[in-house]
Amino acid sequence: MNKYISVSKEGIRALQRTFKVKGKEICERCVKNALAYRTDNELARKIRFAAVRHHMGCTYYVIPEGEFFFDSDSCWHAVYPNRAEIYLDKQTGEGTVYDPRGNVVARYDHVTLSQINELKSMAESL
């Protein structure tokens, strides 16, 4: 799974001024490589930490469409190419399928593992 940190242009410029190599500012490409996780050394880790902590950086994950991912509210989400979505709440067991316009197509009270394939095929067919 790929991930990257999104920072404004002003944030990138501030990161360049903050981190120096041999007394000179680092280049923009060095900051962008660190934020895209293309480099993984001590400087890159410091850049990523500062970007998130001090420059309102937001981490994004790049996943294939239709693959489930977890959010901070303990829910599973899956988004499909046709813009249909599935939400599964781990705490309540509730599952909801939304059509591309955001309307509820199906709602299940207690989703079991065997029902997930049914939900996926329903969302893909919308």
Side-chain angles (χ1 to χ4, degrees), residues 1 60-80 84-90:
M1 177 182 336
Y60 291 95
Y61 293 88
V62 181
I63 61 171
E65 291 176 315
E67 184 174 308
F68 280 96
F69 63 93
F70 296 95
D71 68 3
S72 60
D73 297 328
S74 296
C75 291
W76 291 8
H77 294 276
V79 180
Y80 291 89
E85 299 180 18
I86 298 175
Y87 293 109
L88 301 175
D89 191 326
K90 288 181 5 182

Side-chain angles (χ1 to χ4, degrees), residues 7 14 17 30 34 40 64 67 69 74 98-99 101-102 111 113 123:
V7 178
R17 280 179 271 150
C30 181
D40 189 31
E67 184 174 308
F69 63 93
S74 296
Y98 295 94
D99 69 4
R101 295 187 183 126
V111 177
L113 287 175

